[in-house]
Amino acid sequence: MKKVLILSSAETPDNIVALEKFRSEIQAELGAEFELTTEHYNNIEFELSEDNFDVRHNSSHVSFKTYDLVYFKSYYRYTEVATSIAEFLSLNNIRFVCSELQNYISFSKLSQYARLSRSSFSIPHTLYMDTTLLVSNYDRICEVLGDGFVCKAIDGKGGDCNFVVRTKAELEAIVSQYQEVSFVCQEMIPNEYDLRVLIVGGVVRLVIERRRTSDDTHLNNTSQGAGASLIDPQTLDAKATEMALASAALFKREIAGVDIMFRTTDNKPYILEVNASPQVSTGAFTEEKIKVYAELFRD
């Protein structure tokens, strides 16, 4: 039997009825050799890491690997989710419609992590699901990521909307305050600092070490009060340099600010984000950044 999944953004009663009519009529036309299932983007979850990328139904935990074909019937309000699903399907050689999703420019951490995970980049172990599902799935999130995990907005900047969650009550408070925000949940990686690797013209031009000055926060962002110092790009760890350049190339970004964190226990590097428009006129070392851009334009 061939299994087909129809993904839809239908939410109103009339649209849901229309979707079921659409599914049942095609099912009748195809007969018993096919099984058609529908799903809404709000009931899908992602698990992403360096060596694991899975997309599944949140309610049943059944992986999308079980399908022979996936049809994105509508996705314009859920393009980040749809694009990330398309990355998973491509990785597993599962046919889907529409292939235009593979041309989508990554605008948030979700599709970034999907593309990084697909290419086996080292990223923090990550779970994503609709915000309305987070609290009810708290125990399972802890089971996957450990007690005390990071919950951050998929489109957050400068460390905004980025929290450590240690109790269910804390997660409830976050979801209650930020109902319209989409979050990724990630394992808490012990660290002392991170690096902003500025790539301009496909070359590492500037490396800024960002180190928090207080134990009251887990953030190393200078916009959140962390200290900053310049590092000679020539002294940057070879693996970190390779990761930064390769991740920028993955997104076809000649200019990128790649954020890399190092695990305290073994100095393993993790990519946190590949910024398409890194901070230039604000933040630390603005004068040095301007000179780097001037050099690019001169070249």
Side-chain angles (χ1 to χ4, degrees):
M1 178 182 290
K2 298 294 185 182
K3 300 183 68 175
V4 179
L5 175 64
I6 302 171
L7 291 170
S8 172
S9 59
E11 292 172 333
T12 67
D14 287 347
N15 286 341
I16 292 172
V17 169
L19 174 63
E20 175 53 29
K21 181 174 182 292
F22 173 77
R23 185 207 64 81
S24 62
E25 288 178 349
I26 296 179
Q27 179 70 75
E29 187 72 22
L30 291 172
E33 293 182 11
F34 288 80
E35 178 183 85
L36 273 64
T37 304
T38 61
E39 183 60 280
H40 192 284
Y41 293 100
N42 285 344
N43 192 41
I44 297 169
E45 68 177 54
F46 296 78
E47 183 172 357
L48 307 123
S49 67
E50 179 180 359
D51 51 14
N52 181 37
F53 183 5
D54 197 15
V55 178
R56 49 192 178 242
H57 299 272
N58 178 262
S59 53
S60 64
H61 309 318
V62 172
S63 175
F64 281 20
K65 290 179 182 178
T66 61
Y67 295 106
D68 299 286
L69 173 69
V70 175
Y71 171 42
F72 295 88
K73 186 176 184 298
S74 55
Y75 56 83
Y76 293 116
R77 288 186 291 115
Y78 297 93
T79 313
E80 279 288 319
V81 175
T83 297
S84 303
I85 295 170
E87 290 293 322
F88 171 80
L89 299 174
S90 297
L91 175 64
N92 290 280
N93 297 313
I94 299 170
R95 300 182 72 177
F96 64 92
V97 181
C98 295
S99 58
E100 69 174 358
L101 285 165
Q102 293 178 301
N103 301 322
Y104 175 75
I105 296 173
S106 186
F107 282 109
S108 85
K109 295 177 178 64
L110 177 59
S111 57
Q112 273 198 30
Y113 287 135
R115 286 172 172 163
L116 289 167
S117 177
R118 178 185 174 185
S119 298
S120 299
F121 281 88
S122 178
I123 61 172
H125 197 166
T126 301
L127 283 178
Y128 170 84
M129 61 190 72
D130 190 75
T131 303
T132 60
L133 300 173
L134 288 173
V135 174
S136 60
N137 283 273
Y138 174 78
D139 290 340
R140 199 159 62 83
I141 295 172
C142 290
E143 182 180 338
V144 174
L145 302 180
D147 295 330
F149 56 86
V150 175
C151 183
K152 61 185 181 184
I154 66 171
D155 57 355
K157 295 178 176 62
D160 292 334
C161 219
N162 189 319
F163 312 95
V164 174
V165 177
R166 294 186 175 87
T167 67
K168 188 174 183 178
E170 289 178 345
L171 184 58
E172 288 174 338
I174 293 167
V175 169
S176 176
Q177 184 175 355
Y178 300 97
Q179 296 180 27
E180 303 302 317
V181 175
S182 295
F183 292 94
V184 289
C185 297
Q186 295 184 318
E187 64 175 316
M188 188 70 178
I189 297 174
N191 70 92
E192 297 179 352
Y193 67 95
D194 64 32
L195 299 179
R196 163 63 61 87
V197 181
L198 183 61
I199 296 171
V200 179
V203 178
V204 175
R205 308 267 187 164
L206 207 65
V207 180
I208 301 174
E209 179 185 289
R210 307 180 300 187
R211 190 180 293 262
R212 61 189 178 278
T213 57
S214 170
D215 292 333
D216 295 332
T217 180
H218 66 293
L219 300 172
N220 293 311
N221 306 77
T222 55
S223 55
Q224 301 294 328
S229 58
L230 283 176
I231 302 295
D232 183 350
Q234 299 300 319
T235 66
L236 182 61
D237 176 82
K239 184 174 183 180
T241 300
E242 180 183 353
M243 284 176 60
L245 291 171
S247 62
L250 175 68
F251 294 100
K252 296 180 171 60
R253 291 175 178 168
E254 292 89 350
I255 296 177
V258 183
D259 294 340
I260 301 179
M261 176 183 289
F262 296 83
R263 188 165 60 190
T264 305
T265 52
D266 57 4
N267 210 40
K268 179 179 178 177
Y270 291 84
I271 293 181
L272 299 179
E273 192 167 0
V274 183
N275 296 277
S277 181
Q279 219 174 22
V280 177
S281 58
T282 58
F285 303 108
T286 57
E287 183 177 341
E288 286 83 356
K289 294 173 188 173
I290 293 297
K291 289 180 179 179
V292 164
Y293 275 77
E295 183 179 346
L296 170 71
F297 295 164
R298 187 179 296 112
D299 291 344

